Amino acid sequence: MAPSATATTTETVARSKTPEVTHLGACKVLTPSRYSNGTEEAKTGLKAAKHYGHEKDADTSFKDLLLEGVEVTHLTPTMGTDVRGVQLSSLSNTGKDRLTRFVAERKAVPFRSQDCADLPIQEALDYARYSGRHHIHPMSGSPEGYPEVCLAHHREGDRSHETFFDTRTSSVAWQSDVSYEEQPPGSTFLHVLDKPETGGNTLFGDAADAYNRLSPLYQERLHGLKASRSGIE
């Protein structure tokens, strides 16, 4: 979260290769994996993949991305931009370079009226692969045969909301996905297939800006602190 003044290290552990799998139609749901004794001590780590950042090739004028007639609304000074009039699936590789750079700068960017849901899954994966190797979420369900696609949903009959506030006083919960991995995802495509008429809002926070707003003394207090992050506990 903080700039480089705070050193961070990542340790990963081996998982058992025998997760329990439930098939519900075309959707594969993974229940929490079983871990063998001593797994925490194994610390084998993930094998890093070589990555090329296409944002380095981008012209920051974004002229191949934000064409004439495209509506761009910055939602806050440091992050969040609403874009209307760009169809991501039609971008050239040069346009994808600028998309990667634009999203890296603005952090959370909703592009309205996209045709992602109409694309065959493999075609959508091929599109996203331009930016690098796909991440496979360790705890999420996925369409059968496509582990790179992460499904965030409540299954029919899920009543977890009824007990949600038994141990909470607010529905606000902040997280940074899979931060314990050696190579967490650099960017993520989110597409809403079904949503409620009201509610269900997701907030995005700029952790770097939050750090920069701290007093120098508080920033110094954070330096050297360590956090334990695990995909098991």
Side-chain angles (χ1 to χ4, degrees):
M1 296 298 185
S4 57
T6 302
T8 60
T9 58
T10 301
E11 294 182 342
T12 55
V13 296
R15 289 194 300 167
S16 166
K17 295 184 179 180
T18 57
E20 297 176 359
V21 179
T22 302
H23 289 280
L24 297 176
C27 176
K28 180 181 66 176
V29 179
L30 296 181
T31 56
S33 300
R34 297 189 297 267
Y35 296 91
S36 59
N37 292 334
T39 297
E40 280 282 1
E41 290 75 23
K43 295 183 174 62
T44 58
L46 293 174
K47 185 176 181 180
K50 185 178 293 186
H51 175 73
Y52 182 82
H54 288 280
E55 66 277 2
K56 297 184 294 185
D57 302 328
D59 177 356
T60 54
S61 68
F62 303 114
K63 61 183 180 181
D64 284 350
L65 175 65
L66 307 178
L67 303 176
E68 184 177 354
V70 172
E71 298 180 24
V72 177
T73 304
H74 295 313
L75 305 177
T76 75
T78 64
M79 72 171 294
T81 299
D82 187 277
V83 179
R84 300 170 187 265
V86 174
Q87 190 57 252
L88 298 181
S89 63
S90 64
L91 292 178
S92 64
N93 285 347
T94 300
K96 292 177 186 177
D97 292 344
R98 288 165 185 170
L99 169 67
T100 304
R101 177 63 177 262
F102 188 70
V103 172
E105 291 185 2
R106 297 302 303 167
K107 303 176 180 67
V109 184
F111 288 88
R112 305 294 180 174
S113 303
Q114 299 300 303
D115 61 5
C116 301
D118 300 324
L119 297 177
I121 293 179
Q122 188 57 56
E123 188 174 326
L125 290 174
D126 292 342
Y127 177 95
R129 189 173 286 109
Y130 177 80
S131 299
R133 184 183 67 175
H134 289 303
H135 175 266
I136 297 177
H137 200 288
M139 300 300 290
S140 172
S142 62
E144 188 172 357
Y146 299 99
E148 306 92 342
V149 178
C150 171
L151 297 178
H153 70 111
H154 288 287
R155 286 178 289 177
E156 184 178 0
D158 188 332
R159 313 300 298 178
S160 59
H161 63 281
E162 296 179 352
T163 58
F164 184 84
F165 288 103
D166 288 353
T167 57
R168 298 173 175 85
T169 58
S170 170
S171 62
V172 177
W174 295 100
Q175 71 174 64
S176 181
D177 259 353
V178 292
S179 61
Y180 50 82
E181 294 193 1
E182 184 173 354
Q183 286 185 310
S187 57
T188 302
F189 285 88
L190 299 174
H191 187 79
V192 178
L193 298 174
D194 188 21
K195 63 181 179 64
E197 292 297 325
T198 59
N201 296 323
T202 297
L203 303 177
F204 293 87
D206 187 341
D209 187 54
Y211 173 86
N212 290 332
R213 289 170 180 263
L214 297 175
S215 68
L217 285 177
Y218 204 99
Q219 290 178 349
E220 184 177 354
R221 182 181 181 185
L222 297 178
H223 295 172
L225 295 181
K226 295 183 178 180
S228 176
R229 297 167 294 173
S230 171
I232 298 176
E233 297 177 349

